[in-house]
């Protein structure tokens, strides 16, 4: 079975959870609870570029807050 979100031409959105973690999500799929769309819908390459530019610290926000 092929993952429908794996094609370079597929449209998706960038979603973020409460910990600041980013993910690509297929445009057609219902968002899981706790995730918010922050970019898109757009092509996969544009969404990956958005994540690369905006998610520069992969530590969860709760960890960052606990460190200082």
């Amino acid at each position: 079975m092929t993952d429908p979100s794996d094609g370079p031409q597929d449209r998706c959105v960038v979603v973020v959870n409460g910990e600041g973690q980013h993910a690509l999500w297929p445009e057609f799929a219902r968002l899981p609870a706790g995730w918010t769309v922050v970019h898109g819908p757009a092509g996969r390459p544009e969404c990956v570029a958005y994540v690369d530019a905006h998610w520069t610290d992969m530590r969860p926000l709760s960890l960052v807050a606990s460190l200082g």
Side-chain angles (χ1 to χ4, degrees):
M1 184 168 185
T2 304
D3 181 347
S5 65
D6 277 346
Q9 73 283 357
D10 292 322
R11 294 184 56 80
C12 55
V13 294
V14 178
V15 294
V16 175
N17 66 15
E19 287 287 351
Q21 297 166 316
H22 290 56
L24 300 186
W25 198 255
E27 178 183 20
F28 62 84
R30 176 181 239 170
L31 289 180
W35 292 83
T36 303
V37 174
V38 293
H39 179 76
R44 187 177 180 90
E46 292 85 3
C47 289
V48 170
Y50 179 92
V51 171
D52 287 344
H54 292 89
W55 192 21
T56 58
D57 185 347
M58 297 185 81
R59 298 175 297 170
L61 293 177
S62 60
L63 175 62
V64 173
S66 72
L67 295 175

